[in-house]
Amino acid sequence: MMNRRWVLDHYPQGAATADVWRLEDVPVPELMPGQILVKTQWLSLDPYMRGRISPGANYTAGVAPGGVMQGGGVGEVIASAHPAWKSGDLAESMEMGWQTHAVLNPDLPGAQATNRVPDGIPPQAALSWLGMPGLTAYVGLTEIGRPLPGDTVVVSAASGAVGQLVGQIAKLMGARVVAIAGSDEKLNYCRELGFDVALSHRDPQMAEKLAEACPRGIDVFWDNTGGHIHDTVLAQLATRARVVICGRIAVVDKPASEDIGLRASARLIVTRARVEGLVVFDWWHKRTEAFRHLKDWQAEGHIRYREDVLQGFERMPEAFLRMMSGANNGKQLVSI
C-alpha cells in the first residue's frame, strides 16, 4: 500500500507559495504494537501552520525540509495493532499530517494523543467547533479573557475558525461583542451570529467607529491578527482590560522588525491591562470540560459554525494559501 504525502520542499521567504511543498508517494510502513493505520478523510488548515514552516524558533518544533507537513485530521482506522482500536473506528489526531495514510500511536500524551470522533457529530466537526478551534475559544475566554456580564469584547478575524466561536461564547457569558473582519460578507455573517456590532478593518475610519461602538472602552480584546488592528484596539482599552493574543496572521509573513511587540505600553500602564499569549496546546487538559459545554451549546442552538471546504488531497497547498490570504469563509477544511 502506498501513502501520498505533502512534504516541505523549502522554507518560504516571506509569504508562502504553492511550490513550498511537493507531493511524494512512499510505502505505508508495517504497524508496530500499539499503533493504528488511519486512512485520512478530512484535513484541517490552521494559521499556526505558518510557524511550522519557518526556520526560526517557535513554541514547538516545526517541519524540516523533506518532512511531512504537520496538521490535524480525521480518518478511518483500516488496520490496528492496538487492543482498544479496531477497523472502522473514526480517529482524530493533531499528528495526522498532510498525507492520505497515517500511522498513529493513540497512547501518546496531550495534544499528540489520538482521540475517537464523538458519536452524533459530522466527522469534520472534530476539527472545527468540537476540535482545536472550539477548545481555543473556550479556554481563552474562560481562563484568560473572563468577560463579565455587560463587558465589551472585541474580536479580530471574527468570522474565522476561532473568532466566530469566541463571539458566540462571549454572548453566552453575557458580554456585548464587537466583530472586526475584512469583507461585507464576513461582517454580515458575524451579525447573523449575534455580534452586536461589526466593523471593517479596511475602513479608514475604523478607529473612530470602534470608539463610537465602545464608549466605555474595551474590556476584553481577542486578537487573532496583530498589525494595525492590534494597535487600534489597544489604544481604546478600558481599565483592567484583558487582552488575549491568539494569532498574528496579519504580520506573520513580514520581517520581525515590523512587529516588534507592544507599541501601547503607556496605555497599558494607564489602564492596568493584562496581556497574555494563548497557545491552545497548554490547555489540552481542558478538552473534556470544553467539549462538554460546546456540545451542549450546539445542541441547544447557541453555537453555529461555517466551514469552507475544498475537495481533493491535491488542493492542500491551495487551501493553505486561501486561509492565509483570508479568502476562506469560516473554518478551512479539505475533504480527501
Side-chain angles (χ1 to χ4, degrees), residues 2-336:
M2 299 298 289
N3 176 34
R4 174 156 277 202
R5 62 187 193 178
W6 285 100
V7 302
L8 184 65
D9 183 82
H10 60 274
Y11 294 124
Q13 300 295 319
T17 53
D19 63 352
V20 164
W21 302 273
R22 67 175 186 272
L23 269 174
E24 286 186 349
D25 292 290
V26 297
V28 173
E30 293 292 324
L31 293 183
M32 301 292 289
Q35 294 181 329
I36 59 175
L37 176 62
V38 176
K39 184 177 181 181
T40 309
Q41 295 181 345
W42 293 89
L43 287 172
S44 173
L45 285 303
D46 301 282
Y48 79 85
M49 293 175 173
R50 180 59 181 84
R52 298 295 193 273
I53 56 173
S54 297
N58 206 287
Y59 54 81
T60 190
V63 182
V68 178
M69 181 61 189
Q70 295 174 358
V74 165
E76 180 182 358
V77 177
I78 59 173
S80 176
H82 190 290
W85 290 80
K86 65 181 186 301
S87 293
D89 288 344
L90 283 180
E92 172 273 324
S93 176
M94 290 295 298
E95 302 295 303
M96 196 79 72
W98 290 13
Q99 50 190 348
T100 58
H101 297 79
V103 174
L104 302 175
N105 298 285
D107 296 332
L108 290 175
Q112 295 177 301
T114 297
N115 306 284
R116 297 179 189 278
V117 175
D119 294 332
I121 66 165
Q124 72 272 25
L127 303 174
S128 55
W129 65 268
L130 201 61
M132 184 184 68
L135 177 59
T136 301
Y138 179 85
V139 299
L141 282 175
T142 61
E143 299 289 339
I144 303 175
R146 299 188 179 188
L148 299 173
D151 275 356
T152 295
V153 176
V154 172
V155 186
S156 63
S159 69
V162 172
Q164 59 185 323
L165 283 174
V166 170
Q168 292 175 88
I169 296 172
K171 291 293 294 182
L172 286 169
M173 297 174 77
R176 179 172 173 274
V177 187
V178 176
I180 299 177
S183 71
D184 289 342
E185 181 181 5
K186 292 179 179 181
L187 294 171
N188 287 334
Y189 173 61
C190 290
R191 295 184 185 102
E192 292 172 11
L193 292 179
F195 285 77
D196 296 280
V197 180
L199 303 175
S200 172
H201 66 78
R202 304 183 194 280
D203 188 335
Q205 293 186 312
M206 187 189 83
E208 292 82 359
K209 292 181 179 179
L210 184 64
E212 181 181 347
C214 309
R216 294 183 296 134
I218 295 157
D219 300 294
V220 178
F221 174 35
W222 187 290
D223 186 6
N224 282 316
T225 60
H228 85 279
I229 300 172
H230 169 96
D231 297 340
T232 301
V233 177
L234 258 64
Q236 300 189 28
L237 295 180
T239 302
R240 308 289 182 190
R242 287 81 68 199
V243 179
V244 184
I245 305 294
C246 183
R248 281 306 189 244
I249 198 165
V251 295
V252 70
D253 290 326
K254 297 180 179 178
S257 60
E258 294 188 28
D259 186 46
I260 58 175
L262 296 172
R263 291 174 291 275
S265 54
R267 183 65 182 163
L268 298 181
I269 295 171
V270 170
T271 61
R272 285 85 82 197
R274 188 179 72 243
V275 180
E276 184 171 339
L278 170 60
V279 175
V280 70
F281 306 120
D282 294 339
W283 299 94
W284 224 249
H285 60 285
K286 288 282 189 176
R287 275 174 57 94
T288 301
E289 173 190 329
F291 293 172
R292 181 179 71 251
H293 286 290
L294 289 163
K295 283 187 71 174
D296 289 346
W297 289 332
Q298 196 272 341
E300 294 165 1
H302 299 308
I303 292 291
R304 295 171 55 193
Y305 210 80
R306 178 180 284 181
E307 296 166 343
D308 193 312
V309 179
L310 296 186
Q311 300 286 335
F313 181 68
E314 291 74 17
R315 301 183 74 181
M316 289 301 296
E318 177 187 349
F320 178 92
L321 300 180
R322 179 177 174 81
M323 172 198 66
M324 291 298 297
S325 70
N328 59 305
N329 288 297
K331 169 68 181 183
Q332 185 69 66
L333 296 164
V334 171
S335 175
I336 308 303

